[in-house]
Amino acid sequence: MTTIRGYQNQHTIAGTVRSILFSEVANGQSRSIFTLQIGKNTTHTVIASWGLMRKPERGEIWECTGAFKRHPKFGNQLEASEAVPLEPEDSYLAEYIALNAAFPGWGPDKARKLLLKIPKLKLVLNAGDHQQISERTGIGQGLCRLLVEQWQSRMSEVRVGEFLAGIGVPHQYRQLLQDCYGWRVIERIKKDPYRLLAFLDWGMVDDIARTHLAVANDDSRRMVGAVEACLHEALTSGHMAMPQDAIERALARKAIQTPWSTIRKLPQKAFRVLDNDMVQSVGCFALENLVTAALNALATRSDRVPLTFQENLLAEFEAEKRKQLKLPNFRLEPEQVQAIRYATEHYLSLISGGAGTGKTTITKAIIHQHKSRGCRVYLTAPTGRAARHMAHVTGHMAETLFRFNLRIKKRVRHGELQGCLIIIDEASMQDPANAYQLLKALPQDCRLCLIGDHRQLPPVSAGLVFHQLAKAKAVHLKRTKLLKAHRASLETGIPQVANAIRREVVPKTIQHFTRQSPEYGVYHLPVDVTDLEQISRRMMNVHRHLLGHGEDVIMVTYNRATCSRINADMQQSYLFGYRNSHNGKDPQSVLPHDKPNQYYQGEPVIYLKNDQEKDLSNGSLGTITKAYKEPVVLDGEVVIAEAKFEEGLKHLTAADFNRIQLAYCLSGHKAQGSQWDRVIIMLDNPRRIDNSWLYTAITRASRQVVILGEQELINRIATSKPIADKRYLGTPIEEL
C-alpha cells in the first residue's frame, strides 16, 4: 500500500501496520502508537490519541491524516487527527492476511497459495464462499470458514466507515455508531437518519439527512427528530419534559414550519403528549413512572412491621449523648424522635432538614436502634468524603452509593440485605436513573431511609426524586421535616445564614472580611466578578490567609473557566513554594499527554467518572503521592503515578488522567456532598447562580465561609427561587 499526500500542514498517509509500539484500551476507547509502512522502504510513526480509532492490528491497512511533528528522540511523527481502516488492494491481499492477527493459522505460504489458486480472491471472500476456497486450495474448511468470517467482519467495518465518512459523520463518532448498531448501522441510518441525534447535535444531523440522504423538509422523520432534539436539549438542562408551548418555540428555532398541532398527531413511538400538556420522551416517561411505582410499593408495603421502636433504646442513646456532650438536660426533640420511629417501623422514610438541624444525631440514634438488636444497617453517601465523614461521626462503617450499588446484587444473592436498613445521606443528589437502579434491586423486606436537604442543588442529571418527596402530599410516606437548628457550632453563624437563605430572605449576619476576622463565621469580600484575573488573585490571597488556620480549605466557583484558571494559578503558586523550600527543585511531575495536562506530586485531584475497576466514583478526591519517572507495569497495567483517594491508594494509568482534574478549586456541584472546615465562594456568574447554589456552597463549611462578591449581589441571590423549582417534570410524584 503506497500513499502519501499533503496540504499545507496536514498530511494523509496510508499503509500497512508493521508494528504496534504502544496501545492502551480503557472504557471502550483506545490510544495507540504504531508504524505504517508505505511502499517497500518507507515507514512512519503514527500517534493516535484517545477515542480516535480502535486498537489497530498488525497487517491492517489504515489511512491517517494529521500533522508531522518532530520528536527530539524519535524524529518525525504523525499526530493523527483522523484515522480510518481501508480495504487492501488486490496485490496486498496475501500480505494483509498473513500479517493480520485476525487470521490465525494463515501464514505467508497459505496466503500466497490463496492468490495463486483463486485469481478473483476478493470477490470470493466478499461472497463468503469458504467451501470454494477450501476446494481450490486444499486447505481445511474450518480454517477457510474462519478466514471468510474475519474478512467479512473487517470489510463490513471498512464499508461502514466509508459510508459514515461519506455522509459527514465526524470520525470520533464512527466507532461508537458501529458499537451501537453493529453491521446494520448503514441500514438503520438510511431508514431513519435522525437516529444520529443520540450522538450528534440537531444542526449536523439535519444537514446529513437533507443533504446526503434526501430527506424532505416536511418528512415525518424530520418532524419527530426535531421534537426528540428539543426534548434532549431540555434533558441536558435538567428537565424531564417540556410544556407544549415551549416545544412550539423550540421547533420554530429549528426552522420547522409544520404546525405543532400536526406533528403531535403523527404516528410515532418517540414521545408522548401527557394529560398535563407536557411533552415527554418515552424513555423519560418510563423512568419516572417506574421510580414512582417502586417508591409507592415500598411506602405502602404492610405485610409485617419491620421492627418495633423501643423507648428504652432511645433513653440509652440520650443518656450516652448527655455524657458525651456534658449536657445534663439533653433530650431529642419530638420531631427527631418521630424520625427515628419512622425509620425503624416503616419500609420507606424521609428526613429533610437544613444545616445544623440534627440529621447526623438522628442517624446515630437510628443506627443504635438497629445495632442493639443485631440488625444490619448500611450507611451510604454519594461521595467518598461524605461517606468518610459519616463513618467518623457515627462510628459505623459507611460507603459511597456507587460502591454500594456495585455490590448490591452480590449482597442480595448472599441474603445480606434481608431485613436490613439502608440509609442514604445527602439523598438530594440522587437522580431518577440511580434511584431506580437501587430500588429495583432491593429485596422485599429491606427498608430505605433517605436523609438530605431539598433546598440544596438538584442532581446534576435531569429529574428530581428527594426534592419531590420532601414536598409531596404525603399519605403513606413517613416524612419528617426538621426546622430547628441544634448544632453546637451555632457560634459560627453558618446555620443562621444558611437557614435565612432557605427561607429566601436576606441574611443579617454576614460580615466584611479582613485579615483580623475571627477563625469562624460567614464573611464577604467585594470583588469585580467579571474580572477573571482579579477573581483568581483575590481567591488565592484569601486561600493563603485561611491556610494559616488549617489545611482543610476549598475554593468553590460556578463557571468551569474560573475554576480552571484558579487551579492553574494555584499550581504555579504550589510550584513556587516548593522550589523555595527545596533549593529551586520542582516536585516530580506526571505528564500523561502534553504539557497543559501536567500534574505534580503533592497536588490535590478529583476523579470525574464512576470507575468499577478502580473502585472510584465521580467526585472522589485525592492527592498525588507519587509520580514515576518512567512508566512501570503493576498488575498488568502501565502505571505512571499513584494517588491517595478517600477510597484508598490507587495506581493511575495515562487513561486515568483523562478523568482527573486539579482540585484546589471545585465547581458547586462537585463540592456538593462533601464538607470542609473553611470554604471560599466566588459568585462568578451572577446571572446563573441561584438560591440553592449559594445555600449548597455555604453549607459545605463547618467553621468559616468567605464569599467573594458585593453584598447587594449576595442579597439578590439569597432571595431568588431555587433552581429545582424551575425543573419541568412529566409525571410528578403527587402523593405516596
Side-chain angles (χ1 to χ4, degrees), residues 128-136 139 141 144-145 148:
D129 194 346
H130 68 274
Q131 288 185 346
Q132 183 183 162
I133 297 173
S134 179
E135 290 170 0
R136 289 194 184 184
I139 297 171
Q141 284 199 21
C144 293
R145 183 185 295 109
V148 167

Side-chain angles (χ1 to χ4, degrees), residues 477-601:
L477 174 62
K478 299 305 177 183
R479 176 181 60 186
T480 306
K481 291 184 179 180
L482 305 176
L483 302 175
K484 183 178 178 182
H486 298 278
R487 185 175 290 171
S489 60
L490 277 172
E491 69 271 12
T492 67
I494 294 173
Q496 294 94 317
V497 171
N499 288 329
I501 296 172
R502 274 175 64 92
R503 300 192 308 272
E504 298 171 22
V505 300
V506 175
K508 302 293 185 183
T509 56
I510 298 180
Q511 307 168 53
H512 183 76
F513 178 76
T514 68
R515 292 186 177 277
Q516 287 72 45
S517 297
E519 296 178 19
Y520 55 84
V522 182
Y523 303 91
H524 82 93
L525 184 64
V527 64
D528 181 359
V529 296
T530 65
D531 186 339
L532 187 55
E533 184 176 346
Q534 184 184 144
I535 286 173
S536 181
R537 186 173 62 253
R538 286 292 187 91
M539 288 197 81
M540 289 175 63
N541 288 340
V542 175
H543 183 271
R544 195 175 298 114
H545 175 71
L546 296 189
L547 276 179
H549 302 320
E551 294 185 0
D552 198 22
V553 183
I554 194 66
M555 295 178 279
V556 178
T557 68
Y558 187 95
N559 291 333
R560 291 181 183 177
T562 311
C563 191
S564 298
R565 168 65 183 269
I566 292 168
N567 277 323
D569 289 349
M570 285 295 297
Q571 183 180 70
Q572 293 306 309
S573 177
Y574 169 69
L575 291 175
F576 179 78
Y578 189 95
R579 289 163 185 155
N580 280 348
S581 56
H582 291 79
N583 298 320
K585 294 182 179 179
D586 280 347
Q588 184 63 43
S589 66
V590 185
L591 190 60
H593 299 301
D594 48 29
K595 198 163 186 177
N597 291 331
Q598 196 156 8
Y599 300 85
Y600 293 90
Q601 188 171 306

Side-chain angles (χ1 to χ4, degrees), residues 26-134:
N27 299 311
Q29 291 192 326
S30 68
R31 68 171 183 141
S32 301
I33 303 174
F34 57 97
T35 60
L36 281 184
Q37 180 165 336
I38 303 169
K40 292 184 177 180
N41 302 315
T42 304
T43 60
H44 285 290
T45 301
V46 178
I47 301 174
S49 58
W50 285 102
L52 184 67
M53 60 186 290
R54 64 164 170 78
K55 180 182 177 182
E57 299 288 350
R58 188 167 176 262
E60 287 184 331
I61 314 297
W62 282 84
E63 182 179 85
C64 301
T65 300
F68 279 105
K69 293 189 178 179
R70 184 164 188 80
H71 189 280
K73 183 176 179 181
F74 302 111
N76 277 344
Q77 298 176 323
L78 185 83
E79 292 191 0
S81 57
E82 186 167 358
V84 293
L86 297 180
E87 186 172 339
E89 298 171 0
D90 290 341
S91 59
Y92 280 84
L93 271 177
E95 182 181 34
Y96 177 78
I97 293 169
L99 289 176
N100 199 320
F103 305 103
W106 286 90
D109 292 340
K110 286 189 176 73
R112 281 194 294 270
K113 193 173 185 180
L114 283 173
L115 287 181
L116 290 172
K117 298 290 185 179
I118 309 175
K120 296 183 179 180
L121 177 60
K122 193 179 291 188
L123 292 177
V124 177
L125 289 170
N126 289 339
D129 194 346
H130 68 274
Q131 288 185 346
Q132 183 183 162
I133 297 173
S134 179

Side-chain angles (χ1 to χ4, degrees), residues 462-474:
L464 301 169
V465 178
F466 187 88
H467 293 72
Q468 286 197 80
L469 293 175
K471 297 190 290 185
K473 297 175 182 177

Side-chain angles (χ1 to χ4, degrees), residues 220 222-231 241-268 270-282:
S220 61
R222 184 170 185 255
M223 304 299 102
V224 174
V227 177
E228 286 186 278
C230 294
L231 292 172
M242 284 183 74
Q244 291 194 61
D245 58 349
I247 285 283
E248 283 190 87
R249 292 192 297 271
L251 289 173
R253 290 193 294 271
K254 289 179 170 30
I256 302 298
Q257 298 176 352
T258 307
W260 164 245
S261 57
T262 301
I263 297 174
R264 62 170 291 174
K265 296 176 183 177
L266 290 172
Q268 48 78 36
F271 62 86
R272 300 185 62 154
V273 181
L274 308 180
D275 293 338
N276 59 2
D277 285 336
M278 301 296 286
V279 184
Q280 189 170 37
S281 68
V282 290

Side-chain angles (χ1 to χ4, degrees), residues 18 28 66 85 91 109 166 173 195 202-203 212 248 253 262 282 301 313 366 388 404 437 455 524-525 571 584 680 704:
R18 278 297 172 187
S91 59
D109 292 340
Y173 297 103
R195 284 191 168 102
W202 164 260
H212 298 282
E248 283 190 87
R253 290 193 294 271
T262 301
V282 290
R301 190 169 294 154
L313 292 178
I366 292 170
R388 189 174 62 180
F404 180 82
Q437 181 185 1
R455 295 309 297 257
H524 82 93
L525 184 64
Q571 183 180 70
I680 307 166
Q704 188 175 29

